[in-house]
DNA sequence: TAGGACATGTCACGTGATGACATGGTCTGC
DNA sequence: GCAGACCATGTCATCACGTGACATGTCCTA
């Protein structure tokens, strides 16, 4: 038998989610999370840079998927088509667990620190898309703009999806949002 | 003679900027800022909710201007035209002090906490625009989307403006960015 | 089997942030 | 012109977050 229980990071995430749901983010200390996971606070900070980060561990995967999708888009695709491919990839990752996503979203919405962290994660997604576009030869104000607009579409679509029934298709809502943006910018 | 020197808040902001420039944000403690302003750390936290906020005191003004601009846009104006009016108002507020803006931007860029705070301030601008649009009768996914896209345009334009010469007109760059977004979304 | 790599524990400490209470000028009503 | 409310600040105590330094015990490998 090994010296420690396996999957410390997973236990910490689990314990954190439970406690945040039970009593809220601010009312939960890192020491309590660690204790529930059978660890110490110091160890918590070895797995997560800070208390917020325990809720955002999965965002690295999402970033990779977006980057891949932009890279894999055909060379002939327009800038915005490549962005749409990235959004489809995001929808595939996010669109699976409606209830979990809702719960997580409600924890984040209730706390300013967490909303800030959420925004910077979204910004890093945008940066990854912009990066991919630049590698495709798209020049810079245009690459950033396309990426930012894409993330704006994703955000709005995601929130709309969350507020609706569980069986809706996120990718479809993303596509509708994009079309709406197209219409909006064209009507001036 | 009064008991205290006037304009405590202004002195704190001034002291903070100086120290952040001299030695960086993280290397500056709240106690040091307060001391330079002739006050105590406890008083700092009475004027600013936290250490970051001392750099964002002016954003409330910006928010008001945006809200006004949306409200004052003619009833006949399209959704995106109202958003553009708000962006013009933002450009008028931000476009005046190129060098100051650059210095502030470099402090913020160098620190993750500050970038997070910047993003949530931008998100609150977006929320204010969306609010104004809803009051004009624009329904909700559309209002959010138009506001988010508008702020994306503002962000990209602002950064582009900062990276260029001081005498460029921010409002013009904003307009160009918007046109570029229009082109991007149309080309799919 | 010795020794290094590694995940965790333990301890100490600085900083950010907040509540409770004290202080002493300024303003207002009478 | 004074009592008392008001208000900005100071002082003190305290807590949670976050980090550096060092210790410990298990597993892996030469």
């Amino acid at each position: 038998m090994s010296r420690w229980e396996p999957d410390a990071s997973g236990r910490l995430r689990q314990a954190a989610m439970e406690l945040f749901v039970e009593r809220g983010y601010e009312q939960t200390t890192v020491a309590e999370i660690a204790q529930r996971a059978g660890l110490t606070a110091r160890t918590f900070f070895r797995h997560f840079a800070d208390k917020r980060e325990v809720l955002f561990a999965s965002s690295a995967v999402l970033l990779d998927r977006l980057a891949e999708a932009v890279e894999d888009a055909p060379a002939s695709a327009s800038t915005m088509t490549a962005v749409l491919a990235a959004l489809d990839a995001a929808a595939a990752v996010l669109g699976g667990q409606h209830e979990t996503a809702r719960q997580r979203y409600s924890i984040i919405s209730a706390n300013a620190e967490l909303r800030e962290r959420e925004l910077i994660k979204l910004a890093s997604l945008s940066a990854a898309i912009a990066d991919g576009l630049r590698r495709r030869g798209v020049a810079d104000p245009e690459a950033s703009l396309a990426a930012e607009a894409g993330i704006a579409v994703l955000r709005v679509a995601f929130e709309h999806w969350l507020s609706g029934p569980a069986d809706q298709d996120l990718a479809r809502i993303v596509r509708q949002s994009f079309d709406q943006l197209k219409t909006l910018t064209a009507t001036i």
Side-chain angles (χ1 to χ4, degrees), chain A:
Chain A
M1 169 161 173
S2 85
R3 184 173 183 192
W4 295 288
E5 295 300 307
D7 193 22
S9 167
R11 275 150 52 213
L12 286 167
R13 267 177 306 195
Q14 174 74 25
M17 272 299 292
E18 289 172 13
L19 286 164
F20 294 165
V21 168
E22 284 172 26
R23 65 178 88 159
Y25 174 80
E26 287 169 76
Q27 286 66 48
T28 304
T29 70
V30 170
E32 288 164 344
I33 298 169
Q35 189 181 18
R36 182 169 296 203
L39 295 165
T40 65
R42 189 66 185 84
T43 296
F44 177 97
F45 288 110
R46 289 198 182 96
H47 286 271
F48 304 100
D50 56 42
K51 183 182 168 187
R52 278 139 275 169
E53 205 65 16
V54 72
L55 269 172
F56 295 90
S58 56
S59 76
V61 179
L62 184 54
L63 194 142
D64 288 346
R65 294 287 169 284
L66 292 192
E68 281 169 28
V70 176
E71 173 150 7
D72 294 351
S76 62
S78 72
T79 300
M80 226 47 198
T81 303
V83 172
L84 271 174
L87 300 190
D88 277 340
V93 174
L94 296 170
Q97 318 117 340
H98 197 268
E99 194 45 37
T100 313
R102 213 169 201 164
Q103 191 176 47
R104 185 170 163 283
Y105 184 77
S106 110
I107 296 171
I108 293 174
S109 302
N111 180 271
E113 296 187 359
L114 293 176
R115 288 197 304 271
E116 289 186 341
R117 183 57 50 89
E118 169 96 328
L119 291 174
I120 213 165
K121 294 296 181 185
L122 286 170
S124 74
L125 297 185
S126 168
I129 295 178
D131 237 54
L133 292 176
R134 271 179 235 112
R135 260 194 284 276
R136 295 168 65 85
V138 181
D140 201 5
E142 184 175 337
S144 301
L145 186 58
E148 289 280 340
I151 293 299
V153 166
L154 181 62
R155 272 189 62 164
V156 171
F158 184 70
E159 279 171 34
H160 187 195
W161 175 72
L162 270 192
S163 73
D167 59 348
Q168 276 193 52
D169 181 28
L170 176 55
R172 218 174 123 259
I173 300 186
V174 166
R175 188 53 190 235
Q176 287 171 352
S177 290
F178 178 79
D179 288 341
Q180 190 159 46
L181 175 61
K182 195 171 164 176
T183 306
L184 277 166
T185 53
T187 314
I188 182 169

